[in-house]
Amino acid sequence: TGGMSLYSYLSEQKAKNEYDTIRQEAVVEESRVEETEEVQVKNYPDLQIDFANLKKTNPDFRGWLYFPALDISYPVVQGEDNFTYVNTDVYGDFSLAGSIFLDVNCDKNFTDPYSLLYGHHMEESKMFGDLDLYKDAEFFAENTTGELILPDRTYDLQTFACLLVPSSESAIFQPQRWDSDLQGLYTFAQENALNLNTETLAAMKAAGDDAQVLALSTCSTEFTDARTILLAWMIPSASDS
């Protein structure tokens, strides 16, 4: 057991170093200045992503996920199936930490109404290791924003629900269910969420068919096959217009 613990530790350190390297190669942070009448300056920088470099590194690259409150700043990939990147990093090498990856059933360009990302629950806040912080009502209420940065556009992410579900829950893990209508997902979130932002949910309903949802999934320990889920509204960034 001790050997496995050491192996796991060394594997996690290797993954950390690799993701630190890819951030250095592909990401530039720029100070954000908001020029609005109601000044609400976000306390994190904009990211400028070198998409061409990332595509050269791995053609499976799809975008970049950024949640400053969770120290999440990772490339998103999509494999031939949902096992490709479970224990494979973005360089194609074996890694216990794996990669943040898009469900194979989701459109690679994030045009679906519902898109699903997976990430391991790693120690030291790595990957989706801190996603369960959203189970705390205060943290959930105070940390509501993120970004999904794509080669041709950016989405501001507004979190609206945190759930705890089994890995067999079709409402979460069958993305095709919501190809034509998100109303059933909204109902599921209302009935099952640990924490729910009702104002954001109401705004999404008002947006009608234009609304898109991004789900983040990671393992949890409350019961066998438990998964922590964070749902976020994908809002086209005003900076793209």
Side-chain angles (χ1 to χ4, degrees):
T1 302
M4 179 58 73
S5 296
L6 177 59
Y7 175 73
S8 298
Y9 172 77
L10 293 175
S11 296
E12 288 191 14
Q13 293 304 305
K14 176 176 179 288
K16 177 182 181 299
N17 293 337
E18 288 170 346
Y19 281 107
D20 286 345
T21 297
I22 201 166
R23 289 190 193 102
Q24 293 170 4
E25 294 175 347
V27 180
V28 175
E29 294 187 355
E30 295 185 351
S31 298
R32 175 180 301 217
V33 178
E34 298 285 353
E35 296 181 359
T36 60
E37 293 183 3
E38 296 180 6
V39 179
Q40 295 179 343
V41 179
K42 297 181 180 179
N43 60 353
Y44 57 87
D46 277 326
L47 301 187
Q48 300 299 320
I49 309 298
D50 185 347
F51 294 103
N53 186 36
L54 288 170
K55 276 291 188 181
K56 288 180 182 179
T57 301
N58 186 343
D60 288 342
F61 166 76
R62 299 292 182 256
W64 195 278
L65 183 67
Y66 185 39
F67 267 89
L70 299 181
D71 198 27
I72 288 176
S73 183
Y74 292 107
V76 175
V77 292
Q78 186 181 37
E80 294 182 358
D81 56 45
N82 285 337
F83 298 100
T84 303
Y85 285 102
V86 170
N87 291 128
T88 301
D89 64 25
V90 293
Y91 295 103
D93 299 324
F94 174 80
S95 170
L96 284 179
S99 301
I100 306 300
F101 64 93
L102 177 65
D103 190 287
V104 70
N105 296 297
C106 296
D107 178 76
K108 67 179 182 179
N109 297 313
F110 289 89
T111 60
D112 290 333
Y114 177 82
S115 299
L116 173 61
L117 300 181
Y118 301 92
H120 282 307
H121 189 283
M122 304 300 290
E123 295 181 355
E124 298 183 358
S125 304
K126 303 308 175 189
M127 308 308 280
F128 283 175
D130 276 348
L131 204 63
D132 51 6
L133 290 174
Y134 278 92
K135 295 173 185 174
D136 178 79
E138 184 175 353
F139 185 91
F140 177 87
E142 294 179 353
N143 298 276
T144 61
T145 59
E147 288 184 329
L148 177 65
I149 307 167
L150 306 181
D152 61 344
R153 64 196 187 281
T154 296
Y155 287 101
D156 294 327
L157 302 176
Q158 189 77 28
T159 57
F160 70 93
C162 179
L163 305 96
L164 184 67
V165 302
S167 60
S168 58
E169 179 51 67
S170 63
I172 298 298
F173 298 108
Q174 291 184 12
Q176 310 95 308
R177 281 190 62 177
W178 313 119
D179 280 351
S180 59
D181 187 5
L182 287 170
Q183 295 303 316
L185 179 64
Y186 299 156
T187 299
F188 180 82
Q190 285 178 292
E191 294 177 350
N192 295 277
L194 300 173
N195 291 306
L196 184 72
N197 187 317
T198 55
E199 291 184 5
T200 300
L201 185 58
M204 293 177 67
K205 290 180 178 180
D209 293 339
D210 290 334
Q212 289 179 268
V213 173
L214 183 69
L216 281 57
S217 171
T218 195
C219 295
S220 197
T221 59
E222 284 84 350
F223 52 85
T224 303
D225 291 334
R227 298 292 186 269
T228 300
I229 307 297
L230 185 66
L231 299 180
W233 183 13
M234 299 168 58
I235 307 170
S237 176
S239 61
D240 290 341
S241 58

